[in-house]
Amino acid sequence: SQQGEEDPQALSIQEGENATMNCSYKTSINNLQWYRQNSGRGLVHLILIRSNEREKHSGRLRVTLDTSKKSSSLLITASRAADTASYFCATPLTQGGSEKLVFGKGTKLTVNP
Amino acid sequence: DSGVTQTPKHLITATGQRVTLRCSPRSGDLSVYWYQQSLDQGLQFLIQYYNGEERAKGNILERFSAQQFPDLHSELNLSSLELGDSALYFCASSVGPGDDDGYTFGSGTRLTVV
């Protein structure tokens, strides 16, 4: 079953605009991660935010985490055509003493030049 | 280049056949994870190995098996293939569970079963 769910499923914006994607999850977590996937390629780790952090920045990326609402958001500022990709949130799920990442179905972002 | 190498990149095979997908993790990473990505199911965790030992199992079919060798490379074996097994199969690696750098993914193997 999916742990995280992204919203919206698809987002289309103009270059220069900001893009916001949301993720909701079900169980308590110790961190939440965001990944990007260009069409048909492997996923690339973007940022990890810990459960005791509320906000984290990396370049044009800003991630927030609200553990009371079990939700996170990824903001991409001043978007570029090269940001066109699918974005996934992932949360670790502990199983039998080991941890695996469970991914949502992603938000497909299209940035139009 | 992410440092995780997957071969082959593309594979076309017939139903009922068996294939082996190979993954070499990033240098220094002890954990290997296999994921299946299809349009309808999204990214599904299959199995995890850590330093040669199976650590976690997900929605992996009995027709599928995997192992991690002493040199840390891993193989995913898919047998009695069905049309529904057509998907992208990703391998990812990390130093270990809970690694702050997240997972490093390979570029995937696109399997087409005809």
Side-chain angles (χ1 to χ4, degrees), chain B residues 58-77:
Chain B
N59 300 323
I60 188 166
L61 300 171
E62 285 191 11
R63 300 183 285 109
F64 296 0
S65 65
Q67 54 184 326
Q68 186 180 30
F69 294 86
D71 66 353
L72 301 178
H73 91 270
S74 178
E75 292 181 357
L76 179 67
N77 300 297

Side-chain angles (χ1 to χ4, degrees), chain A residues 5-13 17-24 32 34-37 46 60-65 71-77 79 83-89 105-111:
Chain A
E5 288 190 13
E6 293 88 346
D7 169 62
Q9 290 186 341
L11 181 61
S12 182
I13 60 174
E17 293 180 342
N18 295 341
T20 299
M21 288 157 271
N22 303 296
C23 169
S24 59
L32 184 142
W34 284 91
Y35 288 77
R36 183 189 74 224
Q37 183 182 31
L46 295 176
R60 294 184 295 113
L61 304 181
R62 175 184 158 227
V63 169
T64 61
L65 179 64
S71 68
S72 174
S73 68
L74 171 67
L75 168 67
I76 303 175
T77 60
S79 63
D83 295 328
T84 294
S86 290
Y87 292 82
F88 296 86
C89 68
K105 292 204 169 183
T107 291
K108 188 170 184 178
L109 172 67
T110 302
V111 181

Side-chain angles (χ1 to χ4, degrees), chain B residues 1-2 11 14 16-17 19-20 25 64 66 68 70-71 75 78 82 86 94 97 101 103 113:
Chain B
D1 182 8
S2 68
L11 201 48
Q17 294 297 305
V19 297
T20 297
F64 296 0
Q68 186 180 30
D71 66 353
E75 292 181 357
L78 315 176
E82 302 174 359
S86 296
S94 70
D101 290 334
Y103 292 4
V113 182

Side-chain angles (χ1 to χ4, degrees), chain B residues 2-73:
Chain B
S2 68
V4 176
T5 303
Q6 286 190 251
T7 57
K9 291 194 186 306
H10 302 275
L11 201 48
I12 301 176
T13 190
T15 54
Q17 294 297 305
R18 171 189 168 96
V19 297
T20 297
L21 313 184
R22 184 188 166 102
C23 168
S24 293
R26 190 180 59 164
S27 178
D29 286 355
L30 300 179
S31 275
V32 168
Y33 311 82
W34 286 97
Y35 284 84
Q36 178 194 58
Q37 186 178 39
S38 60
L39 281 173
D40 54 341
Q41 293 292 320
L43 264 164
Q44 295 290 316
F45 169 76
L46 295 178
I47 198 163
Q48 178 210 357
Y49 283 85
Y50 177 75
N51 204 20
E53 292 187 7
E54 181 185 304
R55 277 296 184 93
K57 234 173 180 177
N59 300 323
I60 188 166
L61 300 171
E62 285 191 11
R63 300 183 285 109
F64 296 0
S65 65
Q67 54 184 326
Q68 186 180 30
F69 294 86
D71 66 353
L72 301 178
H73 91 270

